[in-house]
Amino acid sequence: MKNLKMAADDYIKLRRALGFKLTDTHYFLKNFTSFMEREHAPYITTELALRWAKQPQNTLPAWWSKRLSAIRSFARHMKTMDPRHEVPPNGILPNKYQRRTPYIYSNEEVLALLQACEWLPRGNGLLRYTYYTVFGLLAVTGMRIGEITALQRKDVDLTQGILTIRDTKFQKSRAIPVHESTVHVLGVYAHLRDQIFPDCKVSNFFLTDFGTGPSHLAIR
């Protein structure tokens, strides 16, 4: 029998082959299987799934429900191969999500946020510029965080001043024209990125200081 980490990887590959993206689910399962390893637990139980799902304690119960839902689907998959796995029942955690009232940042607050990027750890120097440029792009374009983290180098046309957003929320693509001042900032960032990682094989436009694409959760 495969261990849970290997089984989770196979499960994600199978679901993605069927067209599901599962970005959050992939993250949840990696975290959950590490938790199960620390517990020395080879089989999923409702008690363990609940204990993991209700982390962190100081968050909305709807977030716990979302975490548990990802494990429930995986547990169903595992139970078809080994009946010793338990599937957490529906309804054991509240799942009514109350959308928070959107907070609109003032120009002064946006500037303060950009200035705060200077206080990020230096490392090789790229991380602070990545966050500075990402936050600025969020402010001037209204793009979603996931769209920015998924932005590829080929999607940024600095000559025409066009960003191409592919595979959006509704599986469509769209073009976003940006101001010449934004083009300038993106160009400065791209030049610095290529100086720090001249032989980088990652196709993301934005990189962390490790040369990898930034995650949605890290930006949030």
Side-chain angles (χ1 to χ4, degrees), residues 44-211:
I44 300 170
T45 68
T46 298
E47 187 273 329
L48 285 170
L50 268 175
R51 182 142 48 96
W52 173 84
K54 295 174 75 172
Q55 299 174 11
Q57 291 291 317
N58 59 342
T59 192
L60 295 173
W63 177 250
W64 298 342
S65 181
K66 181 177 180 179
R67 284 163 59 89
L68 185 62
S69 178
I71 304 311
R72 183 182 295 114
S73 297
F74 176 56
R76 288 196 193 101
H77 171 77
M78 294 301 296
K79 192 173 180 65
T80 62
M81 296 180 285
D82 191 323
R84 286 173 289 187
H85 291 286
E86 295 179 9
V87 179
N90 291 315
I92 57 176
L93 285 177
N95 60 6
K96 185 177 180 181
Y97 176 70
Q98 294 182 336
R99 184 178 292 275
R100 295 178 180 176
T101 302
Y103 181 82
I104 308 299
Y105 283 79
S106 67
N107 290 338
E108 291 75 17
E109 288 172 322
V110 171
L111 288 174
L113 180 61
L114 296 178
Q115 290 169 357
C117 293
E118 286 293 319
W119 295 95
L120 290 171
R122 285 190 175 274
N124 57 22
L126 184 62
L127 185 64
R128 60 180 56 192
Y129 290 106
T130 295
Y131 277 93
Y132 177 91
T133 311
V134 165
F135 291 153
L137 199 57
L138 284 169
V140 301
T141 65
M143 293 170 64
R144 299 180 178 92
I145 294 175
E147 292 172 343
I148 287 184
T149 57
L151 202 62
Q152 303 293 294
R153 300 183 191 210
K154 65 181 180 181
D155 299 331
V156 181
D157 187 339
L158 296 178
T159 302
Q160 299 295 324
I162 298 291
L163 306 181
T164 300
I165 311 303
R166 306 180 192 277
D167 298 328
T168 64
K169 188 174 182 179
F170 300 104
Q171 305 302 313
K172 296 180 180 179
S173 297
R174 71 181 193 277
I176 299 179
V178 292
H179 190 268
E180 61 183 16
S181 60
T182 303
V183 172
H184 173 72
V185 173
L186 291 172
V188 170
Y189 174 81
H191 178 71
L192 176 64
R193 177 202 65 205
D194 293 344
Q195 278 189 321
I196 295 174
F197 293 107
D199 301 314
C200 183
K201 305 300 182 185
V202 177
S203 60
N204 294 69
F205 183 81
F206 292 108
L207 298 178
T208 68
D209 51 359
F210 296 106

Side-chain angles (χ1 to χ4, degrees), residues 18-69:
L18 296 173
F20 297 94
K21 291 187 177 181
L22 303 180
T23 303
D24 287 344
T25 299
H26 190 195
Y27 172 79
F28 289 152
L29 288 183
K30 286 178 65 176
N31 191 289
F32 176 69
T33 53
S34 294
F35 165 81
M36 293 290 283
E37 277 191 350
R38 292 193 298 272
E39 294 292 324
H40 304 289
Y43 305 107
I44 300 170
T45 68
T46 298
E47 187 273 329
L48 285 170
L50 268 175
R51 182 142 48 96
W52 173 84
K54 295 174 75 172
Q55 299 174 11
Q57 291 291 317
N58 59 342
T59 192
L60 295 173
W63 177 250
W64 298 342
S65 181
K66 181 177 180 179
R67 284 163 59 89
L68 185 62
S69 178

